[in-house]
Amino acid sequence: MPTEGPQAVGSRLRGAVAGLLVAGAITAVLGGLGVVAPLECQLLDARIRAFPVPVDPQIAIIDLDQQSLARRGEWPWRRGVHAELIRKLTAWGARLIVFDVLFIGPSGRSEDDAALASAIRAVEPGRVVLASVWGGAGVGSDGVVRPQLDTPLAELQAAHGSADFSLDRDGAVRYAPPLQREDEPGLAFAALERLEPENSAQALRRWGAGGAVLPLSGGPQAYPTVSYANVLDGVLDARIDPDFGSTGVRERDYASFFRDRVVFVGASDRTLHDVFTTA
C-alpha cells in the first residue's frame, strides 16, 4: 500500500491547522450575525476529528446490547443480575465498576435489592460508582422550588454521579461538565475522583466552568466492548467480542482481561433509549 513521506504528512497537517484557524476567524466574524451556532458545532467536530486522543488501554465497556436482552429477558432486569456481575468483576480484579444504569428507589424485590447492596459492600469502598439523575423539581422547606436529584437506593451505599447531559441544537452531545447542579459530579468525573483525586482536582480547575469537550477516541468499539450476557454466561462471540474471538480466549481468561480495568456498564440497545450522537 502506498504511504506518504514525512514532508507530505507535515504539509497536510500544516494545511489542516491553517484551515481550522481560518475557519475560527470566520466564526468570530459571523458571531455578531447570530448564525454562528451550527458552524461552531461543525468546526468543533472537525477539530475533534483532526486531533483525536489516544484510546486509554485500561478502559473496557460491558454492553447491554440486543443480544443481552434477547438472552436474559426484557428490561429492567432483576437487580440480582447486576449483583452477579459485580461479584464476577470483583473476583477478576476490576479496578473500578461504573454503572450507567439507574437503581433509584426500591425495585419491589427486597431480596434483589439486598443482593445488590451486599455485592457492593463486598468491594473496596468507592470502587463501584452508580448513576444519579435530575428527575424534576421539588419544593424545599423554605418554599423555594429547586432541582431534585434522584440518587441510588440509600442502602446500596455507593458513590454516585449524574448521568444527565445536555444536547446541542443539532441533537449531539459534545460536552461533559465535571460538576452539575448543587455540586453533584458527572458520572465520569465521579469515577475520576475515585481513581485519581489529584487529576480530578486539576480537571475541575480546567473544565469546571463550561465542561470538557468529549474527544473522539478512534471509532465505534475503539474500546474493548463485551456483551453483558456474554460476561455473565461465559459465552464468547467473535462478532461482539473481537478481541476474545481472534485470540481464542475462554471464560477462564476473563480474569486476566478485566484485571485492573476501569469497567463502564451501559446500553447500546436502542429500545433502552440511551444512544446519542457525538462528534
Side-chain angles (χ1 to χ4, degrees):
M1 179 180 295
T3 58
E4 293 180 280
Q7 290 182 339
V9 173
S11 176
R12 281 199 311 112
L13 181 58
R14 287 192 296 273
V17 172
L20 289 173
L21 291 175
V22 172
I26 295 173
T27 302
V29 173
L30 293 177
L33 303 179
V35 297
V36 72
L39 182 57
E40 268 188 329
C41 291
Q42 294 173 20
L43 290 173
L44 179 58
D45 292 350
R47 190 184 78 186
I48 291 174
R49 293 188 179 111
F51 303 101
V53 301
V55 172
D56 191 325
Q58 70 174 331
I59 293 175
I61 297 171
I62 292 180
D63 184 12
L64 280 158
D65 55 0
Q66 185 177 30
Q67 177 180 224
S68 294
L69 297 183
R71 293 221 310 258
R72 285 278 176 159
E74 64 182 29
W75 192 259
W77 291 349
R78 296 178 60 158
R79 289 178 179 175
V81 175
H82 304 294
E84 180 184 354
L85 178 70
I86 292 173
R87 288 193 294 269
K88 283 179 175 288
L89 292 174
T90 301
W92 293 332
R95 186 179 176 196
L96 187 73
I97 307 168
V98 185
F99 277 90
D100 187 9
V101 176
L102 295 177
F103 301 115
I104 307 298
S107 68
R109 296 177 181 271
S110 59
E111 67 278 15
D112 283 294
D113 293 345
L116 182 57
S118 176
I120 292 174
R121 285 196 303 269
V123 183
E124 182 182 347
R127 293 307 182 191
V128 175
V129 182
L130 304 181
S132 59
V133 65
W134 292 96
V139 180
S141 57
D142 56 2
V144 177
V145 177
R146 293 185 177 86
Q148 183 70 45
L149 180 68
D150 293 331
T151 57
L153 183 66
E155 67 187 71
L156 300 181
Q157 299 180 4
H160 56 80
S162 173
D164 291 284
F165 52 84
S166 59
L167 300 176
D168 285 334
R169 291 184 182 181
D170 61 354
V173 182
R174 293 185 176 87
Y175 296 91
L179 297 180
Q180 299 195 3
R181 306 181 188 100
E182 300 180 11
D183 291 336
E184 173 73 0
L187 185 60
F189 187 70
L192 182 62
E193 285 183 310
R194 271 91 196 145
L195 286 172
E196 302 173 358
E198 293 183 2
N199 282 343
S200 68
Q202 180 181 357
L204 185 58
R205 288 192 297 270
R206 181 176 181 182
W207 290 304
V213 175
L214 294 174
L216 185 71
S217 303
Q221 296 203 0
Y223 290 98
T225 301
V226 186
S227 172
Y228 199 134
N230 283 355
V231 177
L232 292 177
D233 300 340
V235 175
L236 302 176
D237 181 337
R239 180 174 53 84
I240 300 296
D241 307 325
D243 290 343
F244 290 113
S246 62
T247 56
V249 177
R250 295 294 179 262
E251 182 184 10
R252 64 178 180 276
D253 296 311
Y254 270 131
S256 61
F257 174 74
F258 282 112
R259 186 176 300 118
D260 294 326
R261 292 262 194 178
V262 177
V263 183
F264 285 85
V265 183
S268 70
D269 185 88
R270 293 188 177 275
T271 63
L272 299 184
H273 308 292
D274 204 23
V275 178
F276 299 90
T277 300
T278 69

